[in-house]
Amino acid sequence: MASSPLPYALFPGSAREALTFYQDVFGGELTLHTRAEFGRTDEPLSAIAHGMLNGLVTLYGADRDGDASGEPGEAGTAPQPIRTEGLMLTLLGTADPDTLRTWFARLSEGGQVVDEFQERPWGAWDGQVVDRYGLHWLIGFEL
């Protein structure tokens, strides 16, 4: 049983793409279930009704009801991001420093760096990025 809140992101038709990206970045086991698999009748049946990434980083997600296409975007188009305000997902000391730097770099691909990954006056290293799917991450470590 988890002892802390776990993020559950509702994506605008990009859950499969986003959760697959996060698995590629963080590793872990990804399980995706479509609306059809859950016996739902709301279209599109190929949309993700529930997805779980379990590993060093745990993240849940699904396609939002109503406007989820369930299909990947057209080639060459950026995925539509989800919108959050006043919330960051933190990965502080979750892995070794090299892994955390790599995660920051990967999440930055197609995203927006809010605060460069850098050493802070108190000796810690961290940075912030909003990834291509709209999730805001704070990643860092102390030596």
Side-chain angles (χ1 to χ4, degrees):
M1 177 179 274
S3 62
S4 61
L6 294 172
Y8 200 116
L10 298 176
F11 296 94
S14 58
R16 178 183 306 277
E17 180 182 344
L19 292 169
T20 300
F21 170 74
Y22 296 130
Q23 181 191 31
D24 187 51
V25 171
F26 302 122
E29 183 179 333
L30 179 61
T31 306
L32 299 173
H33 299 282
T34 64
R35 291 178 180 172
E37 288 176 86
F38 277 13
R40 292 175 53 174
T41 58
D42 49 326
E43 294 289 338
L45 296 177
S46 61
I48 299 301
H50 180 65
M52 304 168 290
L53 176 61
N54 289 303
L56 225 93
V57 174
T58 299
L59 180 65
Y60 299 139
D63 286 315
R64 273 192 324 239
D65 289 338
D67 63 347
S69 71
E71 302 298 327
E74 293 181 35
T77 63
Q80 182 182 8
I82 63 172
R83 288 175 261 180
T84 61
E85 282 187 44
L87 175 71
M88 285 189 289
L89 303 177
T90 60
L91 298 173
L92 299 173
T94 308
D96 63 84
D98 287 340
T99 299
L100 290 163
R101 284 185 183 102
T102 298
W103 288 352
F104 186 87
R106 291 291 317 281
L107 292 169
S108 298
E109 296 168 6
Q112 178 184 0
V113 173
V114 175
D115 191 14
E116 291 290 340
F117 199 89
Q118 60 189 296
E119 186 173 15
R120 301 301 175 177
W122 56 91
W125 285 77
D126 67 40
Q128 295 179 41
V129 61
V130 176
D131 69 36
R132 67 179 89 171
Y133 299 99
L135 294 182
H136 190 158
W137 300 88
L138 170 62
I139 300 174
F141 60 89
E142 292 189 31
L143 294 175

